[in-house]
Amino acid sequence: MIPLQLRLSNFLSYGESAPVLDLEGIHVACLSGGNGQGKSALLDAMTWAVWGEARKSGESRKPDEELLRIGTRAMEVDFTFRIGAVDHRILRSYMQSASGKTSKPGLEFQVRDGDDWRALTAESIRATQAVIDERVGIDYETFINSTFLLQGRSDEFTKKKPGERKEILGKILALGRYEAMASKAGQRWSRLRERATALEAEVGRLDAALEPVGEWEAEKAAVGDAVASGKADLDRAAARVAEAASRLSALDAAAREAESLTSALADLEARRRKLDADDAALAGKIESADALLAQAEQIEADHERYEALRTQRAELDEKAGLFRGIDGQRHALRLEMQQRTAEARAEIVALESALASLERQIEADREALKGQAEAEAAHAAAVAAAERLQQLDATATRRQSIERRIEAIDKQLAADKGALEGSLARIVEEGKRLAEEVKASDAVDTEALEATIRDGRAAAERREALQTEGTEASRHVGALDGRLQALAADRQRVDARRRKLETSDDDACPTCGTELTEAHRAEVLAGYDAELCENAEVVRSVTAERDEVVAKRDALRAEFVRLGAAVEAGEAAARTLAAARDRAATAEAKRARLDALREEVRSLKRTIEVEAFNPDLRAERASLTDDLQETAYDAEAHARSRADAALREHWATQLRALTVASERLTQSRSDRDLKAAALDQRRSALDRGAHNAEAGKRMNALDEQVRTLGFDPAEHERVGKALDALSDAPSRLSRLLDARRQRAEFAERRATLAEERRSLGAERTSRQDALDALQGRLSERASAERDRDAAEVERQAAAGRLADAQGRLGALTERLDRAERDRQRRADVKSELREVKRQRALYGHLRRAFGKNGIPSLIIEETLPEIEARANTLLDRLTRGRTRVALETLKDKKTGGGTKETLDIRITDDQGVSRSYETFSGGEAFRVNFALRIALSQMLAERSGTQIRTLVIDEGFGTQDAEGLQRLIGAIRAIQDDFETILVITHLDEIKDAFPVRIEVRKEPVTGSTFEVVGA
C-alpha cells in the first residue's frame, strides 16, 4: 500500500479548508512542525480511512467523536493509495446529529478503472470493511506493530506478551492460511471418524442379520411341500362347490319363472279392477246425461235471458265511461282553481315580508350613518401617523447601523491590542533567551578542554580496535548461541516426537505414516534415543568453546568500558568547546539583536499605553459617534406613531362600509315604494276573484255535458246484478249439448268392456295352473343350499391352509433375498471402512502438519534468524555493536520439567550480559524497538504478499543524543530502498534538515492545521 493523495475535512485539528496532501512520486519525506500542530493527525487520517482506527479511546461508546474537530458535526477523509499497479480510493465519513445523541457513519471503496473510479462498496459498512481488509491484506493491529511506529508506541511489539508477538508475526508471514487448512483437515478428520464409527456399527448390524440364514433355507424346503399338498385339497373342494352351484342355478331359473307368473297374475288382477272402474264411470256419465236432457227447456230459456241482459249492460258501460271522463275533468279543474287562490295569497304574504325587511334595513343604515363624521376624522389622523412612521423608521435604521459598526470597531481594536500584547510577550521571551545565551558565551577554559579532547581521541582509537575484536568475539558467541539454540530446538523436537510416538493410539505412525506396530514403535524410539545422545555430545563441545570465547570477549569489553568514560569526556569537551566558539562568534550579533528587541519592547509598550495603533479605525469610530449624537430620535413617539398607523386600514374599512350603507339606504327606499304599490294590486285582485275567471267558465261547460249524456248510475248497477245471477247459463247450455251428442257413445263402450272382462278371466286361470306346478320344484332349494355351504366351508379351509403356506414361503424367500443383499452390502461397507480409515489417518497427519506446532512453527523458526540478523545489522549501525537482540521460541517450564513454546526477546549489552528490556535507558530501548520494527517492516514488505511497502516513523527521536540522531538518520537512509515510501515525523531541526522533502505543518487559530510541501 503506497499513499498517493489525502483529503480531509474537520478531522482532529484540520478544518474544512485543509489543503490536499499529494504524496505521489515522494520516496522519503519528513513531516515537521511544533508539538500539537497536526503532524500525526495526517497519519491518523490514513489509518482511519483504511481501517476506521486511529488515536482514540477504546473505551469510548462513540470513539469516532474524539476524532471530530471541536465545534463541528461532520468529518470526512478521502484517501487514495496504490496496491501493486492499481490505484484505490476510500471515502470514510462521520456525521453527528444536532442533539449529539445519534450519528451516521459512511464508507465508500473504489478502484481506478481507466479515467474513472469503479465502486467496490458492499451492502453495509461491515461488508465494505471486509472487502478493504481483503485488498490491503493486513489489519490495523499488525500495521501499527510493524511498519507504522506510532507516536509514543514504538515499543508496541516489544512490550506485548509472547503469544501476542507470535500472533503478529504469524499475520506478517501470512500463516493464517495454515490455521484455516488445519481447521479444514480437523473437520474432515472428525467427519471421517464419525463415518468410520457408523460403518463399524453397520458391519455389526449386518453380521447379526445374516446369522439365521441356514434355518431359513431348511424351513423354506418344508413349506414348499406343504404348498403342493394344499393346492390338491383346494382343487377337490372347488369341484364339490361347483356341483352344488349348478343345482342351485337350475332352482334359481325356476324361481325366476315363478316370480314372472306371479307378476303376470298381479297385472291381470289390476286390469280387471280397471275394467270394473271404467264400467262404473260410464254408468255415471249416462245417468248425468239423462238428468240434463230432462231440464233442457229451462236451460235454454235462462240462456236467452242472459244474452238480452248482456247487450243492455254493454250500452250502459259505454255511457259510464263518458261520464267518468267528464267528472274527472271537473275534479281537476276544481284543484286548479284552489291552487291559483293559494298562489295569490302566497304572493301577498311574500310582499308583506319583503316590505318589513326593507323597513328594518332602512332603519339600520340610518343608525350607521350617524358615526360617519367621526370615522372620517379618525382615518385622517391614522394617515398622518403612517407618514410620520416612515420618517422615524429611517432614523432608527440609521442609528442601528451606526451602533453595529461602532461595536465591530471596538472588537477589532480589542483584537489588535491583544495581538500587540502577544507580540510583546514573545519578544520579551526572546529577549530573555538571548540574554541567557549572551551570558553563557563568557570565556571557558579552552586549554583544559583541548587536553581532554586529545585524551578522548586516543581512547577512541583504542576502543575502535577493541570494538573490532569484541565484535568478532560477539559474532562468534552469537553464532555459538544460535547453534546451541538450534541444538536445543532439535532436541525438543525429537523429544516431543518421541513422547508423541510413545502415547500415540493412531493406526498410522505419526513420523512416516506407515502402519504403527509395536516393533515399528520400538525401532523408531531407539532412533530418537540415538539422536538425543548425539545432540548432547555436540552441546557439551559447543558450550566449552563458547565459554572460552565469552571469557575473551568479557576482557575486551571491560577494557572497552574503561576507555568509554575517556571517550565520552573527550566528546563532551569537543561539543562544549565547539558550542563555546559558536556562542563567541554569534555573541556580538545576539547583543545587537537584544538591544533591538529591548527598543522594540519599549515602542510596543508606548503604543499599547497611548492606544496609538490602528488610527484609521479610531478616527472612523469618532466620526460615527458624532453622527449618532446628531441623529435625533424619540423612541416613545416612534411607538405611538406605529400604534396610530396600525389603525389606518381599520378606519378605511369602516369608511368603505359607511359608503355602501348610504348607497343601500337610497335603493331600499325606492324598493319599498314599488313593493307597497304591488301589494295593493294583489289584494284587490284576490278580493274580485279575477285569478279564477277563466276556470269558472270551463267548469260550467262540463256541467252542461253531463246533463246532455243522460246517464243513470242506479240502472247501470241493477242490470249488472241481474247479469251476475245468470252467469252459469252459457256453461249449462254447453253441458246440455254435450249430453245429447255422447249418450249413445257411452252405451256402446259399456258393451265392449263386458267382453274384455270375460277374456281376462280365462287367461288368469291358465297362468295360475302353471304357477302351482313350479311351486312343487322350489321346495328342494333348502337341501341344495346346505350342500353348497358345506362344500364352500371345506374349500375356504383348504384355501386358508394354502395361503398360510404360500405367505410363509414368500416371507422366507424375501428374507433370503434380503440376506443376499446384506452380504453384498457388508462387503461394500468393509471396503468403504478400510478407505475411510486410510483417509482418517491421512487427514490426521495433515491436521498435525498444518497445526501451530507443525509447518507454521517451522516457518517461524526459519524466519526468526533472518529477523534477528536484520535487527542486529541495524543495531550494529546504531550502537556500534554494543547491543544485540535474540528471539527465543522455547523456554524451560517452571514446574514439571520440559520446555514450552514462546517468543521471548533477549537483549544483551556490550558486556554480553542479557538484561531485561526495562533496565535499558530510553535512547537504548528506542534503538532496540526501532531495529526490531524495521526488521518486521522489511519482512512484511517482502514476504507476506500484503504489498505494504510504506514505512512510517512517528517521533521517538527525542531520546537520542546528537550521535544517536545521526546514526538513526543513517539507518533510515540505508533501508530506504526496501520501501516505496518512508514518512518520518519530528519536531527536531536536526532530523528535519536531513531529508530533502519536508511537509511543514503549522496550526492557525481559526482555520486549524495546514501544511506546505517543501523540496518536492
Side-chain angles (χ1 to χ4, degrees):
M1 181 180 72
I2 304 169
L4 300 178
Q5 192 177 82
L6 178 69
R7 300 173 185 267
L8 66 169
S9 173
N10 290 334
F11 185 87
L12 287 175
S13 60
Y14 287 86
E16 295 181 350
S17 59
V20 178
L21 178 57
D22 191 350
L23 295 172
E24 188 166 9
I26 295 178
H27 185 196
V28 181
C30 174
L31 274 75
S32 63
N35 290 328
Q37 298 297 302
K39 303 186 297 299
S40 299
L42 294 174
L43 303 178
D44 287 332
M46 296 180 188
T47 61
W48 185 70
V50 177
W51 292 286
E53 297 280 354
R55 291 179 299 167
K56 57 186 177 181
S57 172
E59 293 78 15
S60 175
R61 185 171 64 89
K62 296 180 179 179
D64 286 339
E65 288 182 357
E66 300 178 4
L67 304 176
L68 187 62
R69 190 181 184 212
I70 296 174
T72 63
R73 293 193 293 109
M75 65 178 173
E76 182 179 77
V77 174
D78 182 347
F79 182 41
T80 305
F81 56 93
R82 181 171 296 148
I83 298 178
V86 181
D87 292 353
H88 297 73
R89 182 185 183 193
I90 299 176
L91 291 91
R92 190 182 293 269
S93 61
Y94 174 83
M95 180 176 293
Q96 194 177 67
S97 66
S99 65
K101 295 181 179 179
T102 60
S103 60
K104 180 181 180 182
L107 180 61
E108 296 181 27
F109 186 34
Q110 303 170 353
V111 64
R112 174 78 71 180
D113 187 1
D115 294 334
D116 298 325
W117 292 100
R118 176 167 51 86
L120 299 179
T121 308
E123 67 278 2
S124 65
I125 291 180
R126 184 186 297 273
T128 303
Q129 187 62 57
V131 176
I132 294 172
D133 291 345
E134 182 180 359
R135 283 292 179 111
V136 176
I138 189 174
D139 60 15
Y140 176 71
E141 193 66 22
T142 305
F143 184 60
I144 65 172
N145 277 277
S146 54
T147 64
F148 189 6
L149 279 71
L150 273 174
Q151 181 178 2
R153 296 172 67 179
S154 61
D155 57 355
E156 187 81 16
F157 180 78
T158 312
K159 285 195 171 183
K160 285 192 178 294
K161 297 177 181 179
E164 295 173 339
R165 294 192 199 111
K166 288 193 71 173
E167 182 179 352
I168 292 169
L169 187 56
K171 290 181 180 179
I172 291 174
L173 298 174
L175 300 182
R177 61 181 182 272
Y178 292 104
E179 181 180 354
M181 288 189 289
S183 176
K184 290 182 179 178
Q187 293 172 2
R188 181 61 176 161
W189 182 86
S190 297
R191 290 196 295 270
L192 290 169
R193 181 182 61 185
E194 294 171 0
R195 181 59 179 163
T197 301
L199 290 173
E200 289 171 349
E202 180 68 6
V203 170
R205 185 191 67 78
L206 292 172
D207 287 341
L210 291 172
E211 285 182 1
V213 169
E215 297 177 3
W216 295 342
E217 290 175 344
E219 185 179 357
K220 181 182 178 183
V223 172
D225 295 338
V227 169
S229 176
K231 287 182 178 179
D233 294 341
L234 181 62
D235 291 341
R236 288 190 294 273
R240 288 193 293 273
V241 170
E243 182 181 355
S246 177
R247 285 179 60 198
L248 284 172
S249 177
L251 291 172
D252 288 340
R256 287 192 296 273
E257 185 177 356
E259 185 179 354
S260 175
L261 289 172
T262 301
S263 176
L265 287 171
D267 290 342
L268 290 173
E269 180 61 22
R271 288 174 58 193
R272 185 190 65 77
R273 288 194 297 272
K274 184 176 184 304
L275 290 173
D276 290 344
D278 292 344
D279 183 66
L282 286 172
K285 289 180 180 180
I286 290 172
E287 185 178 357
S288 297
D290 290 343
L292 286 171
L293 290 173
Q295 300 174 7
E297 184 176 354
Q298 180 63 39
I299 291 172
E300 290 173 348
D302 289 342
H303 185 264
E304 289 178 0
R305 173 65 178 160
Y306 172 79
E307 288 296 330
L309 289 172
R310 194 163 64 83
T311 301
Q312 185 180 0
R313 182 176 177 177
E315 294 174 355
L316 291 172
D317 285 344
E318 183 179 357
K319 289 183 179 182
L322 293 172
F323 175 76
R324 283 193 294 273
I326 295 170
D327 192 55
Q329 293 179 29
R330 289 192 300 176
H331 178 70
L333 191 56
R334 283 194 293 270
L335 292 177
E336 181 183 347
M337 294 171 69
Q338 293 172 1
Q339 177 66 27
R340 288 182 177 177
T341 300
E343 289 175 354
R345 289 173 178 167
E347 288 180 1
I348 291 171
V349 171
L351 286 171
E352 290 173 346
S353 176
L355 279 172
S357 176
L358 284 171
E359 289 292 346
R360 288 193 297 273
Q361 183 64 50
I362 289 168
E363 183 61 27
D365 289 342
R366 278 201 299 265
E367 286 295 325
L369 290 172
K370 290 179 181 179
Q372 185 172 9
E374 180 183 355
E376 289 174 349
H379 179 259
V383 170
E387 294 174 354
R388 291 196 303 275
L389 179 62
Q390 290 181 353
Q391 298 174 356
L392 290 170
D393 284 344
T395 301
T397 301
R398 172 168 171 72
R399 284 183 62 85
Q400 290 173 358
S401 175
I402 294 171
E403 289 171 350
R404 284 196 297 269
R405 179 56 183 161
I406 290 174
E407 183 180 359
I409 290 173
D410 289 343
K411 290 182 179 179
Q412 181 63 45
L413 291 173
D416 292 346
K417 184 177 180 181
L420 289 173
E421 290 174 345
S423 299
L424 178 60
R426 288 193 297 273
I427 293 171
V428 169
E429 288 298 321
E430 185 179 359
K432 291 179 180 179
R433 180 179 59 79
L434 285 174
E436 292 175 358
E437 291 178 358
V438 170
K439 184 177 180 180
S441 64
D442 294 340
V444 297
D445 190 352
T446 305
E447 293 181 359
L449 290 174
E450 290 177 348
T452 303
I453 291 170
R454 286 193 297 271
D455 293 341
R457 288 174 178 170
E461 292 175 358
R462 175 56 183 160
R463 276 169 60 92
E464 288 180 1
L466 290 173
Q467 183 178 4
T468 302
E469 296 178 25
T471 300
E472 184 61 32
S474 295
R475 288 175 179 168
H476 194 180
V477 171
L480 293 173
D481 285 341
R483 189 174 180 192
L484 286 173
Q485 290 176 8
L487 289 169
D490 291 341
R491 181 179 182 84
Q492 290 166 0
R493 280 195 295 272
V494 172
D495 190 53
R497 291 172 184 170
R498 190 182 189 284
R499 288 195 303 273
K500 187 173 184 180
L501 181 61
E502 286 179 336
T503 60
S504 175
D505 57 355
D506 287 346
D507 298 333
C509 175
T511 303
C512 60
T514 58
E515 184 178 1
L516 182 58
T517 63
E518 289 303 322
H520 182 70
R521 189 194 304 269
E523 179 183 354
V524 176
L525 287 175
Y528 285 155
D529 291 339
E531 287 185 36
L532 291 173
C533 290
E534 182 181 353
N535 181 279
E537 183 61 31
V538 174
V539 167
R540 284 193 294 273
S541 174
V542 173
T543 301
E545 182 181 357
R546 182 184 182 282
D547 292 342
E548 293 178 2
V549 177
V550 167
K552 177 183 177 182
R553 186 192 63 184
D554 291 345
L556 293 171
R557 284 182 173 176
E559 186 179 358
F560 186 88
V561 172
R562 182 179 58 78
L563 294 172
V567 172
E568 290 179 359
E571 291 175 347
R575 288 194 297 272
T576 302
L577 182 60
R581 288 172 177 171
D582 290 341
R583 287 195 297 272
T586 59
E588 194 62 35
K590 290 180 179 178
R591 289 191 184 94
R593 173 58 178 162
L594 181 60
D595 293 339
L597 289 176
R598 288 170 177 166
E599 179 59 32
E600 189 174 353
V601 167
R602 287 191 295 270
S603 175
L604 282 174
K605 286 182 177 179
R606 286 194 302 271
T607 300
I608 294 171
E609 289 172 358
V610 301
E611 296 185 343
F613 53 89
N614 212 332
D616 294 339
L617 276 180
R618 293 184 181 280
E620 182 182 357
R621 189 186 187 286
S623 174
L624 290 171
T625 303
D626 294 340
D627 291 345
L628 189 63
Q629 293 174 351
E630 293 173 359
T631 303
Y633 175 70
D634 186 350
E636 294 180 358
H638 193 181
R640 286 194 303 273
S641 297
R642 184 179 293 106
D644 293 342
L647 297 173
R648 181 175 63 177
E649 186 60 30
H650 167 73
W651 290 116
T653 302
Q654 292 293 322
L655 286 177
R656 287 194 295 272
L658 290 172
T659 300
V660 171
S662 176
E663 295 173 354
R664 187 171 56 241
L665 179 61
T666 302
Q667 182 63 38
S668 297
R669 287 170 175 167
S670 174
D671 292 344
R672 179 187 61 184
D673 296 340
L674 291 174
K675 289 186 182 296
L679 179 60
D680 292 340
Q681 293 176 0
R682 294 291 193 280
R683 286 172 176 170
S684 175
L686 181 62
D687 293 340
R688 295 193 310 273
H691 56 285
N692 280 331
E694 180 63 27
K697 293 178 181 179
R698 293 205 308 272
M699 180 62 76
N700 293 333
L702 291 173
D703 292 340
E704 181 62 27
Q705 289 180 15
V706 170
R707 286 192 296 273
T708 302
L709 182 61
F711 174 70
D712 186 359
E715 178 66 15
H716 183 258
E717 183 178 0
R718 185 189 63 76
V719 171
K721 290 181 178 179
L723 187 61
D724 291 340
L726 294 173
S727 60
D728 62 341
S731 61
R732 290 170 62 201
L733 179 62
S734 176
R735 289 199 300 274
L736 176 62
L737 295 175
D738 289 341
R740 288 174 179 171
R741 187 178 63 255
Q742 295 175 349
R743 175 68 177 78
E745 181 182 348
F746 292 156
E748 293 178 359
R749 288 178 61 188
R750 284 195 74 189
T752 303
L753 288 175
E755 183 62 27
E756 288 181 2
R757 290 165 70 186
R758 286 192 297 273
S759 175
L760 188 63
E763 183 179 356
R764 184 177 182 281
T765 301
S766 174
R767 288 182 181 276
Q768 184 64 49
D769 292 342
L771 179 61
D772 293 341
L774 288 174
Q775 292 294 340
R777 289 181 60 193
L778 292 175
S779 62
E780 302 173 358
R781 182 174 182 82
S783 175
E785 288 178 347
R786 286 193 297 272
D787 293 342
R788 182 201 62 188
D789 292 342
E792 180 62 25
V793 169
E794 183 180 354
R795 187 193 67 79
Q796 290 179 358
R801 291 191 298 273
L802 177 60
D804 291 342
Q806 288 176 332
R808 183 60 181 163
L809 181 62
L812 290 169
T813 302
E814 174 60 26
R815 286 184 183 178
L816 291 171
D817 291 343
R818 187 169 62 249
E820 182 59 32
R821 293 194 297 271
D822 287 346
R823 287 193 188 95
Q824 182 60 42
R825 170 65 178 161
R826 181 175 60 181
D828 295 341
V829 169
K830 287 183 176 180
S831 175
E832 184 182 356
L833 180 59
R834 288 191 296 272
E835 176 61 21
V836 167
K837 286 184 176 181
R838 186 190 67 80
Q839 290 189 15
R840 183 182 67 179
L842 173 62
Y843 280 101
H845 293 320
L846 292 175
R847 181 182 62 175
R848 290 186 293 274
F850 294 143
K852 66 179 182 178
N853 296 324
I855 294 175
S857 180
L858 294 175
I859 291 176
I860 290 176
E861 289 179 4
E862 291 178 359
T863 304
L864 289 179
E866 183 177 352
I867 296 176
E868 286 182 11
R870 291 176 182 265
N872 286 324
T873 298
L874 279 175
L875 281 175
D876 286 344
R877 177 186 294 274
L878 296 173
T879 67
R880 295 183 178 178
R882 291 196 296 262
T883 306
R884 297 184 66 82
V885 296
L887 302 176
E888 297 180 347
T889 59
L890 297 170
K891 70 177 181 179
D892 295 333
K893 293 182 179 178
K894 293 182 179 179
T895 59
T899 60
K900 66 176 182 180
E901 291 193 356
T902 184
L903 184 54
D904 286 338
I905 300 174
R906 187 167 57 84
I907 308 172
T908 57
D909 59 13
D910 54 358
Q911 299 297 319
V913 178
S914 178
R915 292 162 50 191
S916 64
Y917 172 80
E918 289 75 11
T919 63
F920 286 87
S921 67
E924 291 172 324
F926 177 78
R927 288 192 287 269
V928 170
N929 294 327
F930 181 80
L932 281 173
R933 295 288 293 278
I934 294 301
L936 291 174
S937 300
Q938 291 172 328
M939 294 294 297
L940 179 65
E942 294 175 4
R943 301 190 60 171
S944 71
T946 60
Q947 304 184 52
I948 303 295
R949 301 188 58 79
T950 299
L951 175 65
V952 180
I953 306 171
D954 189 356
E955 295 291 359
F957 305 108
T959 61
Q960 305 299 303
D961 56 17
E963 181 183 358
L965 289 176
Q966 293 304 316
R967 290 183 179 278
L968 278 174
I969 293 170
I972 293 172
R973 288 172 176 167
I975 63 171
Q976 65 182 8
D977 292 337
D978 295 337
F979 301 93
E980 292 290 338
T981 302
I982 297 178
L983 299 176
V984 179
I985 303 176
T986 184
H987 64 281
L988 301 177
D989 292 340
E990 296 90 331
I991 298 293
K992 176 178 69 175
D993 296 338
F995 298 99
V997 178
R998 300 191 306 277
I999 302 170
E1000 296 182 349
V1001 182
R1002 66 182 184 278
K1003 188 174 182 181
E1004 300 293 343
V1006 177
T1007 60
S1009 297
T1010 185
F1011 54 82
E1012 180 181 3
V1013 179
V1014 179

